[in-house]
Amino acid sequence: NDPAIDAELETDLAIEPFLRLDRLRVRLGAEAFSYDVVGRKALDAVAIAAHFERAGVTHLMLCSAIRPPLFWRTRDARASTLWEVPAGLVEPGESPRDAAARELHEEIGARVAPGALAPLGPPMHLAPGMIAEMHTYFRVGIDPDALETPPGDSSALERASVRAAIALDEALALCASGAISDLKTEIVLRRLKEALA
């Protein structure tokens, strides 16, 4: 039997242009309490396995990205730079497939039609205790010889990013060792391995 739950905005601590913090007044059964929720205009995200075969081995493209929150926590630039699959936010009015195609071009220089992107399992919530963001996963075969110079999204973070091809099994081993520590990337790698089995 599910308890009755309700919530209303107690305080809107808008921090534009990126994040918003809403303090909710939640009633769970007979108990009421405050609960902070992070939101933003572009709430949902996509992550993409852009893969290809070389000498019978599945490879995929990864991007490096420095993450300021990790640096703020560790003060270590090397520990704050993650290797990740291409990923990004779904802009308001944009479909996840369209966002994935756009992000592939911006981050690794791959031009693919949105219809070429195949779903890679169901969407997932990665931090539902704090944000209602939903990640949608895709896979697409690419021609690594046709990659262009990634234009990025005009942010300093993407201008500092680099891309690299890596064998799928090697990438999974790096996840197992902790050298790749991005959760969405591990989910995408594991789902791609299953899909190709």
Side-chain angles (χ1 to χ4, degrees):
N1 192 6
D2 292 335
I5 184 168
D6 189 22
E8 64 188 35
L9 184 63
E10 184 174 81
T11 308
D12 179 359
L13 303 171
I15 305 166
E16 292 297 333
F18 193 62
L19 292 178
R20 187 181 69 248
L21 178 63
D22 295 331
R23 176 151 298 148
L24 306 180
R25 190 69 184 159
V26 178
R27 282 176 295 286
L28 185 59
E31 190 174 351
F33 54 93
S34 294
Y35 197 100
D36 292 341
V37 176
V38 175
R40 61 180 178 239
K41 214 178 290 185
L43 183 60
D44 296 327
V46 294
I48 312 104
H51 60 93
F52 59 93
E53 297 291 317
R54 277 265 159 89
V57 175
T58 300
H59 288 72
L60 70 153
M61 298 301 297
L62 296 181
C63 310
S64 70
I66 189 159
R67 296 301 183 192
L70 300 182
F71 179 76
W72 185 246
R73 178 178 178 161
T74 65
R75 301 299 177 156
D76 180 344
R78 174 172 236 118
S80 305
T81 301
L82 301 180
W83 282 97
E84 306 174 47
V85 293
L89 297 177
V90 179
E91 297 297 333
E94 187 177 39
S95 74
R97 257 198 183 84
D98 289 339
R102 175 182 50 75
E103 290 292 344
L104 280 175
H105 185 245
E106 288 177 0
E107 294 191 3
I108 65 167
R111 289 191 186 267
V112 301
L117 291 147
L120 197 54
M124 303 282 287
H125 294 286
L126 294 186
M130 165 178 79
I131 188 168
E133 176 181 28
M134 177 80 77
H135 281 198
T136 302
Y137 309 105
F138 294 100
R139 64 179 264 210
V140 64
I142 61 164
D143 177 358
D145 298 324
L147 295 177
E148 304 171 1
T149 300
D153 64 2
S154 77
S155 73
L157 294 174
E158 284 200 4
R159 282 193 298 278
S161 178
V162 296
R163 64 183 180 179
I166 185 170
L168 175 58
D169 288 338
E170 183 182 350
L172 283 165
L174 290 171
C175 288
S177 74
I180 292 178
S181 61
D182 178 61
L183 182 58
K184 71 181 173 303
T185 296
E186 184 166 349
I187 289 170
V188 167
L189 297 176
R190 289 181 178 279
R191 288 184 177 188
L192 179 62
K193 180 79 173 179
E194 288 177 11
L196 296 176

